[in-house]
Amino acid sequence: MIRSRTIALALAAVLAVPQLAAGTATAVRPSRGPVDPPVPAIPQKYLDQPVNWSVCSFDAAVKRLYPQAPTTNCATVSVPMDWANPDAHPDVKVAISYSRATGTSKGLMTTNPGGPGGPGLTLSASLAVEKPQLFSDFDLLGFDPRGFGQSTPLQCLTTTEKLNALPVTPDYKERTRLTHEVEVAEAKLLAEACSATEFGRFASSQQTVYDMEFLRALLKARQLNFIGYSYGTWLGGWYADAYPARVGRFVLDSNMDWTRTQWENMNFDPFSGQRRRDAQFIPWVARHADMIQGLGATPAQVLAKYDQVRADLVKLVKAGTSSVRGDDLDGRIYSTVYGNVRFIRATLDILVHDEYVKDPSASGAVELRHVDRAWARISPELQAFDTLANIRARYGVTPAASAAVAAAAQVDSARSVIADARATAARSKGDATVNLGAISTTVRCNDTAFSHDPRYYLREADRMAKKYDFFGYMNGVPMCAFWPYAPQDRKVDLKGSPRLLMVQSEFDPATAYEGALRTHEATAKATRFVAIDDEGQHGQYVGSPSACVEEIGDRFVFTGELPGKNQVCGTSPLPAELSVYPVDGPIDGNAVHLPRSKQRVNPLLQQTLDTVANTSLR
């Protein structure tokens, strides 16, 4: 169980991590507080629409991994752009996948990989490949949320002239007047771009919740079962609050603080990301000095090497000879340490950049030789956790094996999207419209109220950069500071909902433990909380390093049984290690560590999770 002392300590830690100052609370949260929107009726014409199913393009990959899998069919269905006013705008499409249970069905199961905006079309089938009882016990629904993936895409439209007019900073970590100007200008451009079409206003969690309820009704399921990761916990919590009578078995894994605001969640990231890097990743690198050449044998040496490589990258950018940025390296590490197995990939990121600063290219970009030299600096035992082809694809130095591999390997952020668009704009003649693509921060802007004073965010980023020197500057000024539309928020209290299972690792870099615990405390009558001691992976249930979490999750998903009390689970060792190394953290540390469990999940699932992690900064 989680002892009262543990909860008290964790709640105390919440007060110590970055949050909104009292003086800014009214600017960020409306004084009236969130008000639940009315539940819309589903017009019959949407339920009566013909659904033209065809075998999904990924079905063959599913069957290669699990030959007994049922056929997964795909389709696109029409939904209102605005469920509150179905006839006011053109319809949009939602891409869905579906397979029937091979045994006696317990109902409809759907999933969400996170984001916001993470494409989830393949996720339900991918999880079932790892856990085949899902195929036998549930009809499986996958979907790409509105605005993303193969659903009607959100377009963020600007022009080459506006892109060319943006100021540029060599390093967002340097909190200078220039950096402030850049962050404000980029935020304004993104807000204008993503609100440029009428769809921008309706790419929101609340509208997606209505889509989920429609899909349940379309497929004639009495209730909806759900496994959601990261932002998927926000989506699941909102659905349970809107439709408590339709809630089946909900597993919310790696939880956002989904009873609070999007900004409060974003403001946890510098703290939780730094803790994962410093408490687990850097010590792991140091412990494997005999398997990794040239990064150091102590945490202090590894950190010093990282800082030196980063500083050298910034020097090259300032000299005008390189496009390989120090802040991009930070972003790569932050997103890559989401997964334990990806510690090897994060290590290679440092080594690739070390090779680059030793031998900069005339092109100003990472080239094949840098990647191959970095690969040669880790031992065969560590190489077994990844592939050279994937690392080459990650840096775009050879043609990727497939679009899916490239998407999963390439780190993406709003800043890199702007940088790429600027590079294209610089080569263009005249003024032209540029589509920046589906910027997922649009969902955040539509979900909750943000302050419209950019100075607040600048002060916050400056303060964070001093307090958390790894990635404290990461948030900067969000485009939501300039968002023109009122938020489509709700007060989440789960009244009338059955119990949901919340799963949370202690050192999660993307969804802080303390925030998840705070949400559990706010919904204690409707949630059961399972914490994982000495564990930091983002995403636990299905292919978890913790056999304890797998057992609890399986019992709930397949039988409906929840533990009678909140629990602390143990975990298994990090890659290439034989024992679990204890780390001081918010959990009391009395859990029993369990034997080693598998470290890798199936490649289809890993691609989905990598894609979401690598677009987490958009």
Side-chain angles (χ1 to χ4, degrees), residues 175-388:
R175 306 307 300 168
T176 63
R177 179 177 296 179
L178 173 61
T179 302
H180 290 181
E181 291 175 359
V182 169
E183 289 180 344
V184 171
E186 290 183 347
K188 284 181 177 178
L189 181 141
L190 287 171
E192 180 185 79
C194 294
S195 61
T197 68
E198 60 182 331
F199 190 24
R201 184 178 181 180
F202 303 109
S204 71
S205 295
Q206 190 58 63
Q207 296 287 341
T208 301
V209 162
Y210 296 149
D211 292 343
M212 291 167 64
E213 174 61 6
F214 162 70
L215 293 173
R216 179 205 62 77
L218 179 71
L219 295 171
K220 298 180 172 59
R222 190 177 70 84
Q223 290 184 309
L224 193 65
N225 303 284
F226 182 74
I227 301 172
Y229 302 94
S230 193
Y231 164 77
T233 66
W234 178 283
L235 201 60
W238 277 37
Y239 180 92
D241 194 69
Y243 300 101
R246 298 301 185 185
V247 173
R249 299 168 189 176
F250 271 44
V251 179
L252 304 183
D253 186 333
S254 305
N255 288 260
M256 291 179 66
D257 190 357
W258 37 266
T259 58
R260 301 297 179 109
T261 68
Q262 286 280 4
W263 169 247
E264 286 171 292
N265 279 268
M266 292 167 66
N267 217 21
F268 271 130
D269 293 342
F271 154 72
S272 54
Q274 177 124 2
R275 179 166 64 181
R276 168 71 157 168
R277 186 197 74 157
D278 291 354
Q280 292 197 296
F281 172 62
I282 294 295
W284 179 88
V285 173
R287 289 196 297 269
H288 292 80
D290 59 332
M291 299 179 177
I292 304 166
Q293 296 177 20
L295 293 187
T298 67
Q301 289 173 351
V302 176
L303 279 172
K305 181 65 174 179
Y306 184 91
D307 290 342
Q308 174 250 308
V309 170
R310 192 193 187 288
D312 289 344
L313 290 171
V314 174
K315 288 178 183 177
L316 291 170
V317 170
K318 288 182 175 180
T321 60
S322 174
S323 61
V324 183
R325 299 174 58 96
D327 40 32
D328 286 346
L329 174 59
D330 292 337
R332 286 179 183 274
I333 300 301
Y334 175 80
S335 61
T336 307
V337 298
Y338 276 28
N340 293 344
V341 170
R342 290 307 186 223
F343 276 19
I344 287 84
R345 187 168 289 186
T347 301
L348 285 163
D349 284 335
I350 302 174
L351 294 171
V352 166
H353 287 78
D354 187 32
E355 291 295 333
Y356 177 81
V357 296
K358 288 178 181 176
D359 180 22
S361 62
S363 67
V366 169
E367 296 182 347
L368 179 64
R369 68 180 185 277
H370 303 121
V371 174
D372 288 358
R373 290 171 185 170
W375 181 258
R377 289 172 63 178
I378 65 172
S379 69
E381 184 177 354
L382 296 185
Q383 289 174 350
F385 288 93
D386 216 317
T387 70
L388 179 56

Side-chain angles (χ1 to χ4, degrees), residues 1 131 251 253 501-504 529-533 535 540-556 561-563 565-572 590-598:
M1 63 178 287
K131 197 170 290 294
V251 179
D253 186 333
L501 176 62
M502 296 177 65
V503 176
Q504 192 71 28
F529 192 78
V530 177
I532 310 158
D533 189 26
E535 178 57 58
Q540 288 292 323
Y541 177 60
V542 183
S544 175
S546 172
C548 167
V549 165
E550 288 285 352
E551 181 181 354
I552 291 171
D554 285 351
R555 191 180 304 125
F556 177 55
E561 181 184 349
L562 278 169
K565 298 179 180 180
N566 293 339
Q567 291 193 12
V568 174
C569 280
T571 191
S572 59
N590 290 332
V592 176
H593 294 137
L594 299 176
R596 176 195 294 267
S597 63
K598 56 190 171 186

Side-chain angles (χ1 to χ4, degrees), residues 300-594:
Q301 289 173 351
V302 176
L303 279 172
K305 181 65 174 179
Y306 184 91
D307 290 342
Q308 174 250 308
V309 170
R310 192 193 187 288
D312 289 344
L313 290 171
V314 174
K315 288 178 183 177
L316 291 170
V317 170
K318 288 182 175 180
T321 60
S322 174
S323 61
V324 183
R325 299 174 58 96
D327 40 32
D328 286 346
L329 174 59
D330 292 337
R332 286 179 183 274
I333 300 301
Y334 175 80
S335 61
T336 307
V337 298
Y338 276 28
N340 293 344
V341 170
R342 290 307 186 223
F343 276 19
I344 287 84
R345 187 168 289 186
T347 301
L348 285 163
D349 284 335
I350 302 174
L351 294 171
V352 166
H353 287 78
D354 187 32
E355 291 295 333
Y356 177 81
V357 296
K358 288 178 181 176
D359 180 22
S361 62
S363 67
V366 169
E367 296 182 347
L368 179 64
R369 68 180 185 277
H370 303 121
V371 174
D372 288 358
R373 290 171 185 170
W375 181 258
R377 289 172 63 178
I378 65 172
S379 69
E381 184 177 354
L382 296 185
Q383 289 174 350
F385 288 93
D386 216 317
T387 70
L388 179 56
N390 282 341
I391 305 304
R392 287 172 171 173
R394 182 171 174 80
Y395 285 91
V397 294
T398 57
S402 69
V405 171
Q410 184 60 48
V411 177
D412 198 7
S413 70
R415 288 167 177 171
S416 66
V417 167
I418 289 177
D420 290 345
R422 282 177 59 97
T424 301
R427 297 190 295 269
S428 301
K429 293 182 179 179
D431 194 17
T433 299
V434 177
N435 180 11
L436 299 175
I439 304 295
S440 63
T441 307
T442 301
V443 176
R444 298 184 188 274
C445 300
N446 280 325
D447 277 4
T448 58
F450 281 73
S451 169
H452 290 293
D453 180 6
R455 295 171 297 178
Y456 165 70
Y457 300 105
L458 291 172
R459 289 193 300 268
E460 198 68 359
D462 291 350
R463 184 176 70 85
M464 292 285 193
K466 291 179 181 178
K467 190 170 185 179
Y468 305 110
D469 65 346
F470 166 45
F471 215 14
Y473 63 93
M474 67 179 297
N475 287 327
V477 180
M479 66 188 240
C480 307
F482 300 99
W483 195 244
Y485 302 118
Q488 303 161 39
D489 53 9
R490 65 182 305 113
K491 178 178 174 57
V492 181
D493 52 26
L494 300 188
K495 287 183 179 178
S497 172
R499 280 199 190 273
L500 319 180
L501 176 62
M502 296 177 65
V503 176
Q504 192 71 28
S505 67
E506 184 176 19
F507 296 103
D508 192 309
T511 52
Y513 178 90
E514 291 85 353
L517 182 61
R518 185 166 64 179
T519 275
H520 164 63
E521 290 290 299
T523 60
K525 291 182 179 180
T527 56
R528 184 70 76 223
F529 192 78
V530 177
I532 310 158
D533 189 26
D534 296 329
E535 178 57 58
Q537 179 161 292
H538 185 64
Q540 288 292 323
Y541 177 60
V542 183
S544 175
S546 172
C548 167
V549 165
E550 288 285 352
E551 181 181 354
I552 291 171
D554 285 351
R555 191 180 304 125
F556 177 55
V557 168
F558 299 119
T559 73
E561 181 184 349
L562 278 169
K565 298 179 180 180
N566 293 339
Q567 291 193 12
V568 174
C569 280
T571 191
S572 59
L574 290 170
E577 296 190 331
L578 297 177
S579 300
V580 173
Y581 286 79
V583 186
D584 289 336
I587 295 177
D588 59 7
N590 290 332
V592 176
H593 294 137
L594 299 176

